[in-house]
Structure formats: C-alpha cells, structure tokens
Amino acid sequence: MKKIFYFLTIFFALHLMAKDLVVGMELGYPPFEMSDKNGKASGISVDFLEQFAKEHGYKLVVKNIAWDGLIPALKTGKIDLIMSSMTITDERKKVVDFTIPYAQANLAILTPINSKIKSINDLNKKGEILALKRGSTGHLYANKNLKNATIHLFDKESAAILEIIQGKADGFFYDQLTIYRTWQKHQDTTRAILAPFQKNPEFWGIAIRKGDVELKKELDDFISKSKKDGFFDSLGEKYLKDVKDTFKKNHLQFFF
C-alpha cells in the first residue's frame, strides 16, 4: 500500500511539474482544428499534439486565435507553436521557423454551379471575380498569377464561400478538403474543381519561434516517427476515411 501511495505521489508530482506547451490554432477548420459540442478543442492536430505532449512530458494548452493573430502571438511569446494547417512558405519562413512537413495539400477551386469555369486559366480574365480568404495561400497565388482577375478579400473563408453560393464571385481557392466538403453541402449552388492547378503541392508544417532548436527537433522526430509507425494513418482513418476513399477513387494525393 505504501509503495502504491509513493508511486501515485511521484506521478502527480511529475504531472504538476509538467511544462505547459501552448499551441495556437484557429479552431475553424474541421477535422484538423475544431471544437467539439462542449467547446473543447478537438481534431487531428489536437490528437497529434496531445500524444506529442504525453510522450515529452508537456501539458498541452490550446488557444483559439484568429488566423491573422497566430504568427504575431508566436513572435511575442504568447504561444509556443502554431499547428493550424499552415502552409510552409518562403514569406512565413522569414519570421518563423517550421518543422519538417507533416502533410501536403493542393489548392482547388469552388465556382458557382452554372459558371463556365473549367480551369484556373478561365479565372485569369478581366471581369472574373475571386473571393478569397485574406492571407491564405489562395490569396497569395492569385496575387502572383491571376493579374487580370478582380480579387475580393475576406477575413473568414465562410464569407468568401458565401459569395460563391450567392453567385457574386466566380472562384474561391482553398485546399481540396475544404472545397470538396463545401461542395458536398452546397451541391445545388456550387461546383468543385478538385484537380490540382499548382506546379508543386503545398506542405503544412508546425511553426515555432525563430531559434527554438530544441522544440523543433522534438517535433521533427515525432513527425518522422508518426509517419513510420502509422499514427498519421490512424488519424486519417479516424477523421477522414470518407475523404481518403474519395481522393483515392479520383487519383488525388491524400494529406498524409
């Protein structure tokens, strides 16, 4: 009995001593980052980091932060890392460091059901209107490659999507999962073009503060291990089985 009490005391002492690992996420991108019916953070990214924290002796704390506030929160030390389906870009690498990629994604197009849009080239014309989320890779792509279109920016992807549903815009770009699921919900008003149009896929990474070498190594090692031991595959089966099957059927690259 004394031994049991001793080990329990040690366990709780270590738990109390565990260092907080504060992650910033925008909890608006199911099933990667979202809230459950009780308002608790959940999803693939949360499951992944909970396991990481457990294995490395951290206590995970999730902060729901609007997209534009994530990198500023990291730079000012309010959070320790960002795991929010964030694409690794050269621009972002100027201000934060990234882990090795844990997933890859491609942009896809959502267009009104009756539009004549068939490919990305059809949107690079005068008079075509793009509804895009401010700061997203779709926004960055359009700025660089679609000089002839008119770009309308929104702080929330839901607002941009509404422009497509209502027929006020001709194209919305986001990752294939978002486009596919949005089309599923709005098949009477929208059409999805899932074929990738970028030369290279996008890679998602976990953002950390510049110079945080120790945390980067821990995360890099855990990402590598999770790809080898099937942990990522299990998360895909848990949260994205229907999408995984659809992507396979259409010969599209899955996230993991």
Side-chain angles (χ1 to χ4, degrees), residues 63-217:
K63 287 191 175 182
N64 185 15
I65 299 172
W67 180 260
D68 287 347
L70 285 169
I71 288 179
L74 180 62
K75 290 175 65 179
T76 55
K78 294 178 181 177
I79 57 176
D80 299 309
L81 58 93
I82 300 166
M83 189 171 186
S84 197
S85 304
M86 182 173 281
T87 302
I88 301 169
T89 67
D90 290 338
E91 195 66 25
R92 289 172 183 156
K93 285 196 288 187
K94 292 177 183 177
V95 291
V96 300
D97 285 338
F98 281 99
T99 61
I100 59 173
Y102 65 87
Q104 75 173 57
N106 289 284
L107 291 176
I109 303 168
L110 188 74
T111 190
I113 191 168
N114 294 321
S115 82
K116 296 180 180 179
I117 303 301
K118 294 182 180 179
S119 71
I120 193 67
N121 294 328
D122 294 332
L123 288 166
N124 191 22
K125 297 176 182 177
K126 189 175 181 180
E128 299 299 324
I129 298 173
L130 307 178
L132 304 172
K133 181 178 179 180
R134 190 186 311 276
S136 67
T137 50
H139 174 199
L140 299 176
Y141 179 91
N143 268 350
K144 184 177 181 181
N145 299 287
L146 305 177
K147 303 288 188 181
N148 298 315
T150 298
I151 300 174
H152 292 174
L153 297 177
F154 300 85
D155 291 328
K156 295 286 185 180
E157 62 265 25
S158 57
I161 289 168
L162 186 60
E163 296 290 295
I164 301 297
I165 293 171
Q166 295 179 345
K168 295 178 180 178
D170 303 293
F172 167 70
F173 311 148
Y174 225 69
D175 65 85
Q176 291 161 312
L177 174 61
T178 297
I179 299 300
Y180 172 73
R181 289 202 156 165
T182 301
W183 167 75
Q184 279 189 314
K185 294 177 183 177
H186 303 283
Q187 295 185 41
D188 57 335
T189 55
T190 68
R191 180 163 52 86
I193 303 172
L194 296 175
F197 57 80
Q198 298 158 286
K199 291 182 180 179
N200 299 304
E202 298 180 353
F203 293 98
W204 293 353
I206 301 171
I208 57 231
R209 267 189 302 281
K210 283 282 186 184
D212 197 343
V213 178
E214 184 177 348
L215 182 57
K216 174 175 164 51
K217 185 179 187 313

